[in-house]
Structure formats: structure tokens, C-alpha cells
């Protein structure tokens, strides 16, 4: 079983839809959870960061972490064509600097 | 005002050749990384340097050798290139080793023929 599982998609939605992106993980030591966005032919950029369990909201984006289920989510409200990208979840434990990435979910938002 | 830059952006070469990829960051960060992203988009850490010292060396063939001449630069040299080395290589940097945010470069797309 891979450490971080993420559905590769593609996930196609119309503009304005609510998008839900998810990752599951197996390592209970993971404490820090991130979502990176990667546009085509570009490097990933940090979108959201959450420590331990809970929710975090930033504009149209909400990150949720459920450590008991080893499940994290990213919600995008009022999705825009400019949100079309690959979304990678990443996580690490409290002491180790290496990030473990999911394979990424490709999101396509059509106008 | 590019934060993390890599050269070249594209690299096409034949099997058996030796090639280098250069990375520079102007963010004043102490830690730099090399990642490999394969054709299935899986992003995997290869190396990490902190203040020019190697701190992470994942299971990577010895043909890959990173070099950090100073804190702002981390180069990757690859000997005897193989078909399986074809991938996008990303350089990244962060303020410290346990930083939550890593800043990625634009990537170098390596194709080995």
C-alpha cells in the first residue's frame, strides 16, 4: 500500500461548481498537511497548509484534515477555469523534513 | 525577480551521456531540494541540502550526484544517462529543513533517447 493515495482524475466540472479533492494516507505519524497546485509545465506552488486535524479556509478554498480516518480534503467553491490544474496533496511528520506527495488529481473547469 | 530558477528548461540527450542541471534560488533560504516527477506525475524527493550539507539522500542511483557550491545553488549531475531517467526534475527551496512551504522551480524536462 502506498503511503499517500490520490485519485489521478481527470475531474471535469463546469464553472461555478463545488470541487472536492481527497487524499488518504497510511502513516499515522503525519502531522502537517499541504495542498500544492501545479499548472501545466510549471512547478508546484503551495495553496493550503494545515497542522493536525481541523479545517482551514482561505477565500474559495477550504482544507480539511481528519486524522482519525487518515483522510484529507480540499474544497474549491465557485470553481473557475483558472483553477484548472493538477492538485497534489503533501504531508510530513513532525520531525522529518521530507514531504510525501500524492500523485495529484487533474482538475478541469470548463467555462 | 524569479525565486527559484533552473537551467536548462529542456534537455534532450542520448543514453550514456553525462549532463548537469543547475538551480539557483534568490530567496535567502537555507535548504534546497531535488525532486523527480515521472510520467505519471509522481513527485519524489531525491536529495536535500541544508547550508551546503547533504541531509537527505533517498534511494537514488550513484549516477546522480548533487553539488552545492553555496547556499543559493544546488546543481545535479547525472552520469551515464539511461532511458528511465527521462522525467521532469524540480529544484525547490525552503527557509529551514522542517519548513512547511517549499518553493519550486519551473522544472527541467529531461528526455533520454
Amino acid at each position: 500500500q502506498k503511503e499517500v493515495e490520490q485519485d489521478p482524475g481527470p475531474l471535469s466540472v463546469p464553472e461555478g461548481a463545488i470541487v472536492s479533492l481527497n487524499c488518504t494516507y497510511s502513516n499515522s505519524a503525519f502531522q502537517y498537511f499541504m495542498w500544492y497546485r501545479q499548472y501545466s509545465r510549471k512547478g508546484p506552488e503551495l495553496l493550503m497548509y494545515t497542522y493536525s486535524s481541523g479545517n482551514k479556509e482561505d477565500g474559495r478554498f477550504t482544507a480539511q484534515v481528519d486524522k482519525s480516518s487518515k483522510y484529507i480534503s480540499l474544497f474549491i467553491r465557485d470553481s473557475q477555469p483558472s483553477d484548472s490544474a493538477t492538485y497534489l496533496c503533501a504531508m510530513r511528520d513532525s520531525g522529518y523534513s521530507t514531504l510525501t506527495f500524492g500523485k495529484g488529481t487533474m482538475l478541469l473547469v470548463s467555462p | 525577480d524569479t525565486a527559484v530558477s533552473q537551467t536548462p528548461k529542456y534537455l534532450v540527450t542520448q543514453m550514456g551521456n553525462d549532463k548537469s542541471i543547475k538551480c539557483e534560488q534568490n530567496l535567502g533560504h537555507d535548504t534546497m531540494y531535488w525532486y523527480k516527477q515521472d510520467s505519471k506525475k509522481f513527485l519524489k524527493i531525491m536529495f536535500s541540502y541544508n547550508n551546503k550539507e547533504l541531509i537527505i539522500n533517498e534511494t537514488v542511483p550513484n549516477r546522480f550526484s548533487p553539488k552545492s557550491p553555496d547556499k543559493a545553488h544546488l546543481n545535479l549531475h547525472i552520469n551515464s544517462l539511461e532511458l528511465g531517467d527521462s522525467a521532469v526534475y524540480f529544484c525547490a527551496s525552503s527557509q529551514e529543513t522542517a519548513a512547511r512551504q517549499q518553493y519550486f522551480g519551473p522544472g527541467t524536462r529531461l528526455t533520454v533517447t
Side-chain angles (χ1 to χ4, degrees):
Chain A
Q1 182 189 7
K2 290 189 174 59
E3 275 203 296
V4 180
E5 300 272 7
Q6 188 175 7
D7 187 332
L11 176 62
S12 295
V13 301
E15 184 175 354
I18 297 174
V19 174
S20 171
L21 304 166
N22 312 295
C23 287
T24 58
Y25 62 95
S26 57
N27 188 345
S28 57
F30 286 143
Q31 297 277 352
Y32 298 89
F33 304 92
M34 298 126 216
W35 286 95
Y36 279 79
R37 178 174 60 196
Q38 185 176 18
Y39 289 113
S40 181
R41 306 257 168 180
K42 301 284 188 186
E45 55 180 344
L46 183 68
L47 194 60
M48 296 284 286
Y49 161 81
T50 314
Y51 170 68
S52 195
S53 284
N55 293 0
K56 186 171 184 179
E57 191 173 319
D58 184 1
R60 296 183 296 111
F61 298 90
T62 299
Q64 283 187 355
V65 175
D66 182 350
K67 289 190 69 183
S68 62
S69 303
K70 297 192 180 69
Y71 188 88
I72 70 170
S73 301
L74 177 71
F75 297 96
I76 307 174
R77 290 184 298 282
D78 187 24
S79 56
Q80 303 294 310
S82 57
D83 295 329
S84 297
T86 296
Y87 291 80
L88 302 110
C89 62
M91 46 198 80
R92 66 170 181 86
D93 61 30
S94 58
Y96 199 45
S97 64
T98 295
L99 292 179
T100 300
F101 282 86
K103 284 194 175 184
T105 300
M106 181 184 289
L107 172 66
L108 302 169
V109 181
S110 53
Chain B
D1 59 346
T2 306
V4 182
S5 59
Q6 293 178 231
T7 52
K9 283 198 76 173
Y10 300 95
L11 189 50
V12 180
T13 188
Q14 292 184 327
M15 280 176 55
N17 284 349
D18 303 339
K19 290 293 178 187
S20 290
I21 307 171
K22 295 187 175 182
C23 177
E24 176 181 1
Q25 54 95 3
N26 62 5
L27 296 166
H29 288 166
D30 287 340
T31 307
M32 296 184 73
Y33 312 82
W34 276 111
Y35 285 87
K36 178 181 180 181
Q37 188 171 46
D38 60 26
S39 57
K40 295 181 180 176
K41 300 292 188 184
F42 187 47
L43 194 63
K44 190 165 167 54
I45 184 79
M46 299 174 68
F47 302 103
S48 174
Y49 270 73
N50 180 253
N51 278 321
K52 304 194 302 176
E53 301 271 339
L54 179 66
I55 56 170
I56 292 172
N57 184 352
E58 293 292 319
T59 308
V60 175
N62 290 338
R63 300 181 294 103
F64 290 79
S65 53
K67 281 188 174 54
S68 181
D70 55 56
K71 271 177 32 172
H73 296 86
L74 180 62
N75 303 323
L76 183 65
H77 189 75
I78 315 170
N79 290 326
S80 304
L81 278 154
E82 299 177 359
L83 292 176
D85 297 332
S86 295
V88 182
Y89 292 85
F90 287 100
C91 177
S93 73
S94 64
Q95 188 109 18
E96 55 206 15
T97 55
R100 63 191 185 195
Q101 181 165 7
Q102 295 183 11
Y103 294 80
F104 284 80
T108 295
R109 188 172 294 271
L110 172 65
T111 303
V112 183
T113 61

